[in-house]
Amino acid sequence: RGLAETWPRLLGLIADVALAVLLLVCALAPLPVAPENWAGPPTWRPGHYVKWEALTARLSAPLLATFLFCTCVCGRAAAGADEEEHPRSRAAALLSHAVPVALGACTLE
């Protein structure tokens, strides 16, 4: 197989791994405990934005960007091609199912 035949599969795999790592970190990372002398803004919940948790959004951005880039590129490469020949990201296939798409309309309301 040539590179042109294998890179859509590779990008799909990279996208799936990036999303899986992000979800695992979000699920398994412990929440920081608020310090006893918490003097943060009253609208913030104590425990948020202390220690390393302030960095989680910044550290997750490269993983999300990798997922988006790889799914867009491998999806474009597979457009018009046989799905068996160039399968896209499994996570993107799951998220593009009719049920998550329909539920997406409710998220910004």
Side-chain angles (χ1 to χ4, degrees):
R1 290 186 166 178
L3 182 61
E5 295 174 1
T6 58
W7 70 271
R9 288 178 192 252
L10 180 63
L11 288 177
L13 180 64
I14 291 171
D16 289 342
V17 168
L19 189 62
V21 167
L22 181 63
L23 291 175
L24 282 173
V25 167
C26 289
L28 299 176
L31 291 175
V33 179
E36 292 181 17
N37 58 354
W38 173 254
T43 56
W44 289 3
R45 248 180 47 196
H48 288 194
Y49 307 105
V50 294
K51 298 184 181 177
W52 57 267
E53 187 159 320
L55 296 176
T56 54
R58 289 171 182 85
L59 296 176
S60 66
L63 291 171
L64 285 174
T66 301
F67 173 74
L68 291 174
F69 175 77
C70 290
T71 54
C72 290
V73 172
C74 78
R76 189 175 306 144
D82 184 17
E83 185 68 20
E84 288 297 319
E85 182 181 343
H86 296 293
R88 61 182 176 175
S89 164
R90 300 296 179 214
L94 177 68
L95 293 173
S96 65
H97 189 268
V99 173
V101 170
L103 290 174
C106 303
T107 59
L108 296 176
E109 300 211 10

